[in-house]
Amino acid sequence: MPSPSMETLVSLCKKRGFIFPAFDIYGGLQGVYDYGPLGVELKNNLKAAWWRSMVYERDDIEGLDAAILTHRNVLKQSGHEDTFSDPMVDCRSCNERFRLEPDDALRCPKCGSTDLTEPRPFQLMLKTIVGPVEDSENYAWLRPETAQSIFVNFRNVAATTGRRPPFGIAQIGKAFRNEITPRNFIFRVREFEQMELEYFVHPQEDAKWHEYWIENRLDWWQRQGLASGNLELFEQPAAELAHYSKRTVDILYRFPHGTEELEGIANRTDYDLGSHTRGQSEMSLHARVAPNAFSNTRLAYQRAGESQWIVPYVIEPSAGVDRGVLAILSEAWCEEHLPDGKTRTVVKLPAHLAPVKVAVIPLKRNHSGLMTKAKAVKAYLQSLGLGRILLEDSGNIGKCYRRQDEIGTPFCVTVDFQTIEQDNTLTLRSRDSMVQTRIAVDRIGDALSDRLATSGI
Ligand code: GAP
């Protein structure tokens, strides 16, 4: 099935309530989006799947939810204040300002002019004033990655959990970047979410763990429904590595606008823990930070029975939630030609990611007998903890099915007159096969629990 165009996805997201341009009643804010009633469910389900696989299903990773406002010294020592920038170019003909991609021709993307300024670095971090006095000293950064707050909490987490490497700290949260040219819907935005793991290892075991996490993450995305043919690994050339990285391998996905980064898996060495550690000389770490802004903490560990301090290396799988949502919607979307000559749009989300798991539909609108029964079935299914169960009372059953297909609901349950007048059975309809079966009300819970568990990936 070919990928949908970006226009198709943007329109579906708006029409059905997945994603809206933020502040559109005021003309919008570029590079900022809101997740609507279905989008928030999909996003939460994706984050929950990541958290489950990182924190609950393993015994070597702890969770964290740290502050977004970030102390300026953290991002000074991490190197972001000095190096976290993109090359920016202005067009002298039309005044367009744009970010220069590595392979871009030196030509304005708007008017085609080659009369451009020299590229100059553009700071990507967003600043805010903290406290009542608005002067140049009282600022904090909105974090550009969740990673730094994990590094500065290394000792807190290690001490309170008794962990020693190899172990990891996982965090999901917002990050902010003043992207010069946000584009491609939610692919490159100014406010986004990351799912980041910082996995701390002995310095001599970095290469082994890096390979491990590359494989693990590629496999995980496939378990979220992304086809292996749409995913590929990309070894970042040495010249393009971030200032902290020894080696980075990206997981690329074939998005509607092109094949681009979904997640990066970096070997950050001891760069970050070293940078946030006081007393670099005694530990022979990098001598690259101003002496007046060191932390007062040693972010290192000792092996059992050894006195030597070791600064762990960090392997970092860092995934974008928004890019994940875009990839998953793009992969799941399809248009099917039906035997009666009609077509249907169906979003074949894996059940564990679907915003609505089951729609309960009374056959006729505003019918109190059907509605009473449908409400009872909905309440019962909701109590099983399967996820969101929706009561859909819009009357036209064909339209209801089409709407549920388009939002990816794996199953519909219809309450009709046979249910309330004859045999207490319901119609269970599957999104993908469109097969309908009758099933007794007292079996519906088990039937749906089984089907939802097995139709996930
Ligand atoms: N801590 C490492 C780090 O932040 P990154 O490659 O800059 O590395 C990691 O970002 C992931 O965050 C990317 O793979 C992407 O999925 C997501 N991401 C980065 N910038 C983004 C943006 N402007 N909009 C949406 N997602 C973004």
Side-chain angles (χ1 to χ4, degrees):
M1 175 56 67
S3 303
S5 68
M6 195 64 102
E7 292 71 40
T8 303
L9 282 188
V10 172
S11 141
L12 173 83
C13 285
K14 189 156 187 213
K15 174 171 136 202
R16 293 302 187 192
F18 281 94
I19 299 164
F20 309 120
F23 314 111
D24 54 354
I25 65 167
Y26 285 100
L29 186 58
Q30 217 197 346
V32 186
Y33 286 89
D34 293 333
Y35 285 75
L38 298 176
V40 64
E41 299 288 345
L42 171 55
K43 201 183 194 202
N44 283 345
N45 291 340
L46 181 64
K47 292 190 284 183
W50 187 89
W51 195 262
R52 251 191 329 270
S53 81
M54 286 294 181
V55 182
Y56 296 168
E57 291 170 4
R58 303 180 61 101
D59 299 310
D60 57 350
I61 296 180
E62 302 288 348
L64 183 74
D65 181 17
I68 288 172
L69 289 179
T70 304
H71 194 295
R72 45 194 282 207
N73 285 346
V74 169
L75 292 159
K76 177 74 187 159
Q77 307 298 35
S78 69
H80 284 79
E81 261 197 28
D82 299 327
T83 63
F84 196 60
S85 59
D86 267 347
M88 180 188 73
V89 166
D90 286 308
C91 171
R92 290 199 186 91
S93 300
C94 71
N95 297 325
E96 174 80 351
R97 175 167 286 182
F98 58 95
R99 166 185 144 128
L100 200 60
E101 304 286 350
D103 298 328
D104 274 356
L106 283 174
R107 185 177 290 281
C108 172
K110 191 170 168 199
C111 73
S113 166
T114 52
D115 188 9
L116 308 174
T117 60
E118 282 300 306
R120 60 209 148 97
F122 175 78
Q123 171 56 260
L124 290 177
M125 291 198 296
L126 285 154
K127 208 180 241 184
T128 191
I129 299 295
V130 175
V133 182
E134 205 171 310
D135 68 24
S136 60
E137 292 305 299
N138 291 338
Y139 69 88
W141 296 108
L142 300 185
R143 66 185 177 195
E145 58 172 5
T146 73
Q148 294 304 322
S149 57
I150 297 182
F151 299 136
V152 299
N153 273 294
F154 170 79
R155 200 177 71 153
N156 290 337
V157 175
T160 51
T161 59
R163 299 275 185 198
R164 282 201 197 123
F167 84 98
I169 304 179
Q171 178 167 225
I172 301 175
K174 291 265 182 172
F176 301 82
R177 295 183 191 177
N178 195 13
E179 297 285 354
I180 303 166
T181 39
R183 60 182 162 185
N184 295 320
F185 192 29
I186 51 169
F187 179 82
R188 189 183 304 287
V189 282
R190 291 185 168 135
E191 173 175 341
F192 55 100
E193 271 187 279
Q194 293 183 314
M195 305 183 283
E196 295 203 296
L197 169 69
E198 308 303 326
Y199 197 77
F200 303 99
V201 302
H202 187 276
Q204 278 156 16
E205 295 185 341
D206 62 334
K208 175 185 92 178
W209 280 109
H210 199 187
E211 290 303 330
Y212 168 87
W213 280 110
I214 294 166
E215 205 176 301
N216 177 296
R217 297 302 303 149
L218 192 57
D219 176 63
W220 186 82
W221 281 113
Q222 287 175 51
R223 283 188 282 120
Q224 308 320 304
L226 303 188
S228 58
N230 288 334
L231 290 162
E232 61 186 80
L233 294 178
F234 172 73
E235 183 85 37
Q236 281 194 10
E240 283 171 32
L241 289 175
H243 61 278
Y244 50 71
S245 174
K246 171 175 165 187
R247 180 185 174 217
T248 297
V249 174
D250 291 337
I251 298 178
L252 309 185
Y253 180 72
R254 193 150 63 89
F255 288 99
H257 64 279
T259 300
E260 287 211 58
E261 180 185 337
L262 170 64
E263 170 162 351
I265 302 138
N267 179 346
R268 292 182 78 130
T269 68
D270 58 357
Y271 185 94
D272 300 276
L273 293 188
S275 297
H276 294 305
T277 291
R278 186 180 61 161
Q280 275 80 348
S281 54
E282 89 196 43
M283 298 169 69
S284 67
L285 293 171
H286 327 273
R288 61 180 160 267
V289 288
N292 59 345
F294 288 139
S295 79
N296 58 10
T297 300
R298 170 148 54 187
L299 301 176
Y301 76 108
Q302 291 167 300
R303 288 203 210 186
E306 290 180 13
S307 58
Q308 188 200 358
W309 286 96
I310 303 167
V311 181
Y313 269 38
V314 174
I315 306 301
E316 176 198 63
S318 171
V321 177
D322 310 79
R323 289 188 190 180
V325 166
L326 185 60
I328 281 159
L329 281 174
S330 169
E331 183 83 41
W333 183 95
C334 62
E335 212 158 53
E336 282 183 354
H337 299 285
L338 303 175
D340 62 5
K342 293 190 177 141
T343 54
R344 71 162 180 155
T345 299
V346 50
V347 174
K348 294 188 173 176
L349 293 168
H352 71 285
L353 297 178
V356 174
K357 308 301 178 196
V358 183
V360 180
I361 310 171
L363 185 67
K364 201 160 174 277
R365 199 169 184 204
N366 292 334
H367 184 283
S368 68
L370 293 174
M371 194 48 163
T372 305
K373 188 72 181 179
K375 277 188 172 165
V377 172
K378 186 239 139 124
Y380 166 63
L381 292 176
Q382 195 63 68
S383 75
L384 301 178
L386 302 170
R388 183 160 190 213
I389 313 294
L390 188 78
L391 187 64
E392 164 91 75
D393 188 25
S394 54
N396 181 326
I397 191 74
K399 273 196 184 152
C400 286
Y401 285 158
R402 271 198 297 283
R403 176 179 140 76
Q404 295 305 322
D405 287 345
E406 245 192 293
I407 67 171
T409 306
F411 297 102
C412 290
V413 167
T414 304
V415 177
D416 58 18
F417 292 101
Q418 187 177 330
T419 319
I420 56 170
E421 290 170 0
Q422 295 177 29
D423 58 8
N424 212 20
T425 61
L426 303 156
T427 301
L428 176 58
R429 177 199 184 256
S430 152
R431 174 194 70 198
D432 295 350
S433 66
M434 293 193 292
V435 168
Q436 301 185 19
T437 42
R438 284 211 79 93
I439 190 156
V441 167
D442 58 10
R443 286 201 47 243
I444 192 72
D446 285 346
L448 279 168
S449 302
D450 290 349
R451 284 171 170 79
L452 285 167
T454 51
S455 62
I457 291 186

